[in-house]
Amino acid sequence: AQSVTQPDIHITVSEGASLELRCNYSYGATPYLFWYVQSPGQGLQLLLKYFSGDTLVQGIKGFEAEFKRSQSSFNLRKPSVHWSDAAEYFCAVEGSQGNLIFGKGTKLSVKP
Amino acid sequence: DAGVIQSPRHEVTEMGQEVTLRCKPISGHNSLFWYRQTMMRGLELLIYFNNNVPIDDSGMPEDRFSAKMPNASFSTLKIQPSEPRDSAVYFCASSLGRRSSYEQYFGPGTRLTVT
């Protein structure tokens, strides 16, 4: 069965520092992968998605993610974090029914 | 567009009471999803509809939970009777299609507390 692991429950970075959030997936074929962000008290918003092609995908708000099949990873990155990026981030993979299977999430705190 | 609308935003009820959560999807979207978010289990898909028809309800925890979509603009998730372990945030999402290649748009959620 498909699954997603986000190893880091909580990460704190300083404003202006770079960010990398880890995501590992379990899937037999080429996965469809997603990153969503959830701000406090809000629903989830899609940041970016990977279906095929270029393994480096660009998303909204300056985020990017790189698909690495050999490592079964789809890590999210941002070169310079802003205070407004403080939120919870969810990696997801498409399940066999076309639904989304989410990781447990990584909460990002940003220090001034 | 107003986005996905959920009501109520917060619900506090006593164990044994019936709870009804409501969702209005984005106009034109033909797929609707109900998720539950808890600290322990994360974000879980409960059920989803395509063209108002339930496609997969394998995530519905037990018979106390039921969901309906009487038309393209309205869905309900009902818990009867409610239990403290049902306390969670319930999200509704809609999309143009059932496959994940169509972006899912999430509502703000309903925070349910069962005492």
Side-chain angles (χ1 to χ4, degrees):
Chain A
Q2 301 89 345
S3 65
V4 174
T5 301
Q6 294 180 247
D8 304 306
I9 296 173
H10 190 186
I11 284 182
T12 300
V13 300
S14 298
E15 191 167 15
S18 64
L19 170 70
E20 183 168 24
L21 301 181
R22 296 184 291 165
C23 172
N24 293 98
Y25 66 89
S26 171
Y27 193 81
T30 300
Y32 288 0
L33 295 160
F34 308 79
W35 274 100
Y36 279 80
V37 60
Q38 183 180 25
S39 298
Q42 303 292 317
L44 279 70
Q45 180 185 20
L46 180 66
L47 282 176
L48 48 79
K49 58 188 176 184
Y50 171 78
F51 290 160
S52 64
D54 193 346
T55 56
L56 185 64
V57 293
Q58 302 296 321
I60 62 172
K61 306 185 181 187
F63 285 92
E64 66 178 26
E66 186 172 12
F67 170 61
K68 293 185 177 180
R69 183 189 301 277
S70 61
Q71 299 178 18
S72 298
S73 69
F74 188 58
N75 294 347
L76 182 71
R77 301 194 295 245
K78 186 169 185 178
S80 177
V81 169
H82 188 261
W83 64 266
S84 60
D85 294 324
E88 191 155 16
Y89 292 80
F90 293 89
C91 182
V93 65
E94 183 187 53
S96 57
Q97 299 294 322
N99 55 307
L100 289 174
I101 299 170
F102 287 90
K104 291 289 182 67
T106 298
K107 184 175 180 180
L108 173 66
S109 297
V110 180
K111 291 190 300 185
Chain B
D1 198 318
V4 176
I5 299 172
Q6 291 187 247
S7 64
R9 292 294 308 274
H10 301 272
E11 176 80 40
V12 181
T13 190
E14 292 184 347
M15 182 174 63
Q17 297 298 306
E18 176 180 298
V19 175
T20 300
L21 311 181
R22 297 173 176 80
C23 176
K24 177 178 169 54
I26 293 173
S27 177
H29 284 189
N30 62 11
S31 291
L32 184 140
F33 307 79
W34 281 101
Y35 291 90
R36 178 173 67 176
Q37 185 179 39
T38 61
M39 291 290 291
M40 289 294 294
R41 301 174 67 88
L43 200 62
E44 305 172 280
L45 177 67
L46 299 178
I47 185 171
Y48 73 94
F49 295 83
N50 187 245
N51 293 322
N52 311 337
V53 176
I55 302 300
D56 183 2
D57 65 354
S58 59
M60 296 285 263
E62 48 200 273
D63 292 345
R64 297 184 297 106
F65 285 69
S66 62
K68 294 182 180 179
M69 192 164 186
N71 56 61
S73 59
F74 184 66
S75 176
T76 60
L77 178 67
K78 185 177 293 186
I79 308 173
Q80 166 63 20
S82 58
E83 297 182 3
R85 61 190 167 127
D86 301 330
S87 298
V89 181
Y90 291 82
F91 288 102
C92 175
S94 71
S95 69
L96 287 169
R98 57 178 282 194
R99 303 293 306 195
S100 62
S101 52
Y102 296 97
E103 179 175 350
Q104 291 185 24
Y105 293 82
F106 283 73
T110 296
R111 181 174 295 277
L112 173 64
T113 302
V114 183
T115 61

